[in-house]
Amino acid sequence: MNIRAGDNVLVIAGKEKGKTGRVERQLTAENRVVVEGVNIITRHMKPRPGLRQAGRIQREAPIHISNVMLICNKCGQNIRPRIVALETGQRVRVCPKCEEVIDDAR
């Protein structure tokens, strides 16, 4: 996956199209990410004595990775990052528009 937790992303498809947010966590097995403030759902929860109250709880639901694009920190445009190997052998994500190194690709 080219998008990681902590990245700023733009939603490019679905009912939340055009919204931006920070990735809270990624679900690699399902190719999905949870984006802060995007795809809010309401769950009706039963009470659990000693754990939680009953009521409607709103939280973010996962969104498919193909429906989001990374936003470059330097140029602010939505991008599809390239992975480039440095002279040290380390692989990093790079913005193809401004050639800025985003971070390590692991």
Side-chain angles (χ1 to χ4, degrees):
M1 279 206 218
N2 289 331
I3 296 175
R4 302 217 166 74
D7 288 344
N8 289 322
V9 294
L10 170 73
V11 179
I12 59 171
K15 66 178 183 177
E16 306 284 340
K17 182 177 180 178
K19 289 187 178 181
T20 60
R22 186 179 57 83
V23 175
E24 290 181 351
R25 70 180 193 268
Q26 60 184 17
L27 308 169
T28 54
E30 294 133 20
N31 287 330
R32 293 180 176 269
V33 291
V34 177
V35 181
E36 181 180 299
V38 176
N39 201 19
I40 302 292
I41 58 169
T42 303
R43 290 282 181 233
H44 295 76
M45 305 301 281
K46 289 175 119 179
R48 300 281 183 222
L51 294 177
R52 66 171 179 250
Q53 271 188 319
R56 298 185 311 174
I57 298 173
Q58 291 188 333
R59 61 184 179 128
E60 293 93 0
I63 187 169
H64 198 269
I65 195 95
S66 66
N67 294 335
V68 296
M69 281 190 84
L70 182 65
I71 297 176
C72 179
N73 296 332
K74 183 178 179 187
C75 62
Q77 296 180 350
N78 50 335
I79 60 166
R80 184 174 293 149
R82 290 185 320 191
I83 296 178
V84 177
L86 298 177
E87 297 82 24
T88 61
Q90 182 182 16
R91 295 174 58 200
V92 294
R93 293 186 297 169
V94 176
C95 173
K97 296 180 180 177
C98 67
E99 300 298 324
E100 179 72 17
V101 173
I102 296 169
D103 62 359
D104 62 339
R106 292 181 207 146

